[in-house]
Each structure stands twice: as C-alpha cells, then as structure tokens.
Amino acid sequence: MSAADKVVRPEIRAMRAYQVSDATGLVKLDVMESPYGLPKELAEEVGRLVAGLSLNRYPVPTAQKLRALIRRVMQVPAGCDVLLGNGSDECIQYITASVAREGAVVMAPTPSFAMFSMHALFYRLRFAGVPLRADFSLDAEAFLAAMAKECPALVWIAYPNNPTGNAFPVADIERIVRAAPGLVVIDEAYQPFAGATFMPRLAEFENMAVMRTVSKIGMAGLRLGYVAARPEWIEAFDKVRSPFNVNVVTEAVAIKLLENKAVLDAQAARVLAERERMRPELERLPGLTVYPTAANFFLVRVAGGKGAGTRVFDALKAQGVLVKDFSGGVPSLENCLRITVGTPDENRILLTAMREAL
Ligand code: PMP
C-alpha cells in the first residue's frame, strides 16, 4: 500500500480522472468547442492587450468590470448578481460546496454532465440520478416523485442536456423548480444554440440559478463560466470561491471579446446553420439513430450489438476524425457517439468518414 493509498479516500482511489483524448492531427469534434478562431485583426488586438497586462499583479479579486459587462451583454435581470468561475466547471464546484451539509442530496436527470455527480462525490454528498426515458426524454413525474422522496438540497438541469443534446420541456422544468425544496441550477452551457433561456425568469423563482459558459462560443481556452442568481445565493457561492479564480489574461481577453460579441454570435450562427445542414445527412445514414438536438452537437446511436459504437469510433479515428465514444460507461449510452458540429469542411470529412465506417 502506497503512502497515498493510506490517506486518499477509497471513493477517490476508485475513480478515474476526467478523460480528454489527445486530438493531435485529428479533426477535433469531441468536446463541443467552437471550430472558429478569431479574425486576424481581433486576434492582433488581443495580442497587444495581453502584452500590456501587469502579469506581476494579482487579478482584481471581484472582477468588477467583467461581471458588469456579463450582466449587460447576457441580459442578467436587475436585482440578480453574477459569480465568475474558471469555466462553469468551477461554478459547479462552488455551488456544490456552498450547500454541502452533512447528508445533503444532489439530484439531476441521468445521463447528464459528469461534473454534477463528481462534485457531489468530492463534497461527500449523495447523488441521486433520475434516469431519462429510453429516448432520453425527461420523465417529469418520476423526477418529481424522486424529489419528494430525496428532498435534494441541489438539483441540476442541463438545458439543453449534455450528452443527449435535447432541451427538456419548459413546463416540466418549471414544475421541478416550483416543487424543489432547495436550489435548482439551470445549466445553459449550450444556450447560444438553443435560443431558449431561463435567464429572464430568475426574478420569478427565488430558488433558481442560471449557469452559463463562454466555452462553446469560441473561448473554451480562456476558462470562463458564470452563474446568475439572487444576491443571497451569489454571496454564498462567493464565500467558497478561490480569491483569484479568474486570471488577468482571462479577464482582459474576455472583456475584449464580449465587447466584440457580434463576431462570436456570427460564428455561432454558422455552427447552427451547419447543424441544420448536417441533420438530414446524418439521418440518411443506415444503421444510425440521430437524437433531437438543441445544442452544437449530435448524439447518435450505432445499430448492432456490443462494440458496434466503439468500432465506428475507431474507424472514424483511423480516418482522422475524433468524436466522443460513450460505450462502456452508462448502459443507456451503449453504442452512442457524440459529434460536435465543426466547420463545413470538417463536417464534410466527418460525414464521408461516417459513411465509410458504418
Ligand atoms: N455544463 C455542461 C452541460 C457542459 O457540457 C460543460 C462542458 N462540456 C460544462 C458545463 C463545463 O463547461 P466549461 O467548464 O468549459 O465552462
């Protein structure tokens, strides 16, 4: 037994660190990034901006300017505040930490984003997932019944959901928020591709927060997410925050890019148009079930027995395309692949490779 084995908690020893595949030399369609870089002029402006930063200084701990800009640009309702995270991953950590009472329960539909249950584990909370139906639709009755039984401190609803891509019905989410005894966080990581949002409704529900990220609209490398809610929630999340969690480069560059948000919006619109162009092409492929999506990716299921999905994943990779393979994890995702929408060229390569692979 190693020295670490003696002290590291068994449930941490038993888990695997978050896996991200090496994408060197591959068409990268695995983690829902924007496929577009910055236009040259804007990239040069960013370069000059970074050159002028005082990297010897700590960031302004409250990131006032960026928070004010986010409130304005993202239309956070008056009377609500915003907390920034090093990616929305870190917001998930802070939100979980702030409600981590002994014996508290965290809930989410499953499958959903892995970090919801991982942070519950890290903070010793019990995670009670409620399975989606076989077609990945939300079983609202089952969720409400489970909530009545579990009395969760925290409920996560990814809207649209990852990895399934669908956006659950608004009326069902409203019922969950109304019935929840604790906090409900609507994770809107894919909002730019969904159109719909709960943001304007924050004032209506005292126990709701809306979390977003700039990762899917071209800034994944900056690591910036945010959560908007009534000030009493934000105050609580802020107490468990690392003092300088948003670094000076992220803050300055995010301000510059959000001031030029029209550029990012135009890129997202191209991704959206490509998604609609790809959908019938994917649906036409034999042996593939394409699930409804409101996000910048498709979840598909490869027909066949055990190993069929992984065989297609490997064949795509051999042809230079990296997607995400969900086989071998949650049983309901067996033979499922998640394909991020890329540039028109990347999507053409993917579709050709997929025709070959099936
Ligand atoms: N929420 C959901 C639903 C996601 O899919 C992701 C990333 N895949 C995140 C949050 C985290 O994003 P980030 O940390 O890049 O903001």
Side-chain angles (χ1 to χ4, degrees), residues 155-178:
V155 172
W156 295 102
I157 306 277
Y159 178 79
N161 191 39
N162 172 22
T164 58
N166 53 334
F168 305 134
V170 170
D172 287 346
I173 298 176
E174 283 172 2
R175 285 172 73 200
I176 290 169
V177 176
R178 287 208 174 90

Side-chain angles (χ1 to χ4, degrees), residues 61-62 64 67 70-71 76-77 79-85 91 94-95 97-99 183-185 199 202 206-212 225-242 245:
T62 49
Q64 287 295 4
R67 280 172 55 227
I70 284 180
R71 287 164 69 147
V76 174
C80 288
D81 204 351
V82 160
L83 176 108
L84 305 183
C91 297
Y94 296 155
I95 293 167
S98 70
V99 302
L183 175 65
V184 180
V185 183
M199 188 70 90
L202 274 177
E206 192 187 355
N207 63 328
M208 187 176 84
V210 172
M211 190 175 77
R212 299 244 191 104
Y226 57 98
V227 53
R230 293 201 183 190
E232 58 268 30
W233 288 113
I234 300 299
E235 239 170 70
F237 308 153
D238 197 45
K239 289 178 189 171
V240 296
R241 182 176 64 86
S242 307
N245 64 322

Side-chain angles (χ1 to χ4, degrees), residues 38-286:
L38 296 176
K40 190 163 173 284
E41 246 171 58
L42 189 52
E44 283 169 359
E45 269 184 67
V46 166
R48 285 192 292 275
L49 181 69
V50 172
L53 292 174
S54 300
L55 296 180
N56 56 319
R57 300 292 178 200
Y58 282 108
V60 178
T62 49
Q64 287 295 4
K65 191 170 173 205
L66 177 54
R67 280 172 55 227
L69 184 63
I70 284 180
R71 287 164 69 147
R72 183 164 59 76
V73 175
M74 303 299 181
Q75 290 160 20
V76 174
C80 288
D81 204 351
V82 160
L83 176 108
L84 305 183
N86 188 319
S88 49
D89 281 339
E90 198 184 46
C91 297
I92 299 172
Q93 178 189 337
Y94 296 155
I95 293 167
T96 309
S98 70
V99 302
R101 280 179 195 235
E102 190 80 42
V105 172
V106 177
M107 284 182 61
T110 54
S112 191
F113 186 44
M115 298 314 288
F116 302 155
S117 59
M118 283 175 74
H119 282 297
L121 175 89
F122 300 158
Y123 287 94
R124 312 187 78 112
L125 301 179
R126 192 159 59 79
F127 180 79
V130 179
L132 297 172
R133 296 193 188 97
D135 63 356
F136 301 130
S137 60
L138 177 69
D139 187 343
E141 299 308 326
F143 202 93
L144 289 163
M147 265 198 343
K149 179 167 156 271
E150 301 284 3
C151 200
L154 174 60
V155 172
W156 295 102
I157 306 277
Y159 178 79
N161 191 39
N162 172 22
T164 58
N166 53 334
F168 305 134
V170 170
D172 287 346
I173 298 176
E174 283 172 2
R175 285 172 73 200
I176 290 169
V177 176
R178 287 208 174 90
L183 175 65
V184 180
V185 183
I186 313 295
D187 177 354
E188 296 192 347
Y190 300 95
Q191 182 276 332
F193 312 99
T197 173
F198 279 82
M199 188 70 90
R201 306 192 60 188
L202 274 177
E204 221 175 299
F205 302 109
E206 192 187 355
N207 63 328
M208 187 176 84
V210 172
M211 190 175 77
R212 299 244 191 104
T213 178
V214 297
S215 293
K216 317 298 171 186
I217 53 167
M219 295 186 254
L222 282 184
R223 309 307 299 126
L224 178 68
Y226 57 98
V227 53
R230 293 201 183 190
E232 58 268 30
W233 288 113
I234 300 299
E235 239 170 70
F237 308 153
D238 197 45
K239 289 178 189 171
V240 296
R241 182 176 64 86
S242 307
F244 305 107
N245 64 322
V246 176
N247 69 72
V248 293
V249 177
T250 295
E251 187 184 13
V253 177
I255 288 171
K256 169 59 79 185
L257 297 188
L258 290 175
E259 282 169 348
N260 288 274
K261 189 162 170 286
V263 173
L264 308 177
D265 289 343
Q267 292 178 339
R270 282 157 79 184
V271 170
L272 206 53
E274 269 301 288
R275 180 186 80 191
E276 293 312 303
R277 198 189 63 77
M278 280 176 85
R279 190 195 307 268
E281 300 266 347
L282 283 169
E283 282 171 347
R284 212 172 289 142
L285 296 179

